[in-house]
Amino acid sequence: MFGEGQHTDKLQGHWVLARAGKRVLRPGGLELTRQMLDAPAIVSLDRVVEFAPGLGVTARMVLRREPCAYCGVEREPAAAEHLRKQLNLSCARIVLAPVEQSGLPDSAATVVYGEALLSMQMQEQKSRIIAEACRLLVPGGRYGIHELCLRPDEISDAVRRDIQAAMSKEIHVGVQPLTRREWVKLFEEHGLKVTWSCETSMHLLEPRRLFQDEGIAGAFRFAFSLATSPTLRKRVLAMRRLFRRYEKHLGAISLVGQ
């Protein structure tokens, strides 16, 4: 079980949702993930590296596109073991390592992507992760992200601090999302030209998004988990209240840079 040995009250938010049976943990849902994968046009000649594949939902989507190679870089041992059991390892491999120090050779990939990863990092760590992606990419390679986004670009420092403090408290991990302008600037600072971008609402725990992402059976499985576990229900409802409180200022963004 994800977060094995930890009480639900102490778990990071994404593992709380996973423990409750949620499989899509990306802020913009499956639809934004599909668009992010369509933008770099992954084909059979591509060598793909995914940072922090987690439960492997996006990995399976990529493998259906039949790239010539896929490698997931995952630092969580439980997640890495889950991925090794779930994926077809005849055409994929999982590396247990921090994403900023993957240990993979230079120019190992034509496509690198990561989701719901950079938003939870300090600015310096964001830069280290993007630098590692650039090191792994061949000239002309494509890098995609799917992350939380602050709105609008002119958001006040006070509101930004409130969101960071509230999300860190409820999700139990430091959360530092950026505005669209700041995400683009971060790409440009690493020599990446943004070739595609898209934004959507941050409705991770809203009923309509749950059915879209998890399907009918998955949504009811998630609801049953909450109904039968007061501790899970308390954590998940607290996260949903937070997302609703800051709905006007929280979104999801995907960028692809080259």
Side-chain angles (χ1 to χ4, degrees):
M1 178 184 292
F2 301 108
E4 187 174 0
Q6 296 184 58
H7 192 272
T8 302
D9 281 340
K10 305 298 183 184
L11 276 179
Q12 293 181 348
H14 56 289
W15 293 136
V16 171
L17 298 177
R19 185 172 286 187
K22 196 169 192 327
R23 294 295 172 256
V24 178
L25 305 176
R26 312 316 192 192
L30 277 182
E31 180 55 33
L32 191 57
T33 291
R34 289 191 187 98
Q35 292 180 58
M36 181 193 71
L37 296 179
D38 286 342
I42 296 171
V43 295
S44 60
L45 295 177
D46 279 311
R47 305 188 306 277
V48 179
V49 171
E50 179 176 6
F51 286 165
L55 301 180
V57 172
T58 307
R60 286 187 284 274
M61 295 169 67
V62 169
L63 289 172
R64 286 196 289 270
R65 296 167 183 250
E66 299 183 337
C68 68
Y70 167 91
C71 179
V73 181
E74 177 58 61
R75 72 182 305 157
E76 297 281 352
E81 182 61 26
H82 171 82
L83 290 162
R84 291 187 178 113
K85 291 177 180 178
Q86 295 293 318
L87 300 181
N88 178 1
L89 294 183
S90 64
C91 55
R93 65 180 178 124
I94 305 300
V95 172
L96 184 62
V99 294
E100 72 276 14
Q101 293 179 313
S102 67
L104 299 175
D106 293 355
S107 302
T110 57
V111 176
V112 177
Y113 69 90
E115 300 180 282
L117 170 65
L118 297 174
S119 301
M120 296 188 290
Q121 314 297 330
M122 300 289 284
Q123 193 70 11
E124 296 80 4
Q125 181 70 347
K126 285 180 173 69
S127 290
R128 283 192 286 267
I129 292 171
I130 296 177
E132 177 70 355
C134 292
R135 182 186 71 81
L136 295 178
L137 285 170
V138 300
R142 296 94 78 200
Y143 176 50
I145 65 169
H146 175 173
E147 298 290 342
L148 285 169
C149 181
L150 293 176
R151 295 171 165 176
D153 281 335
E154 298 77 19
I155 188 171
S156 72
D157 289 341
V159 173
R160 184 192 295 261
R161 287 193 297 269
D162 286 347
I163 292 173
Q164 290 175 351
M167 295 189 77
S168 296
K169 177 183 177 182
E170 296 297 350
I171 299 176
H172 294 183
V173 64
V175 179
Q176 296 200 6
L178 303 177
T179 64
R180 183 189 186 281
R181 181 186 299 158
E182 291 166 340
W183 284 121
V184 171
K185 181 181 178 183
L186 190 57
F187 266 43
E188 292 173 347
E189 288 173 350
H190 287 82
L192 291 161
K193 178 182 178 182
V194 175
T195 57
W196 176 87
S197 67
C198 185
E199 292 182 50
T200 190
S201 302
M202 170 50 182
H203 285 167
L204 182 68
L205 295 176
E206 294 300 324
R208 181 176 180 182
R209 177 73 63 76
L210 282 168
F211 280 103
Q212 288 174 340
D213 287 348
E214 309 294 334
I216 294 175
F220 279 109
R221 180 179 61 244
F222 181 70
F224 180 78
S225 295
L226 301 189
T228 55
S229 173
T231 309
L232 280 175
R233 182 169 65 251
K234 178 183 175 182
R235 287 290 313 275
V236 171
L237 291 181
M239 284 189 276
R240 190 174 73 175
R241 284 194 297 271
L242 184 153
F243 297 153
R244 286 181 172 179
R245 186 189 322 158
Y246 294 107
E247 184 176 13
K248 290 193 298 185
H249 297 293
L250 273 179
I253 189 169
S254 181
L255 302 177
V256 172
Q258 189 169 21

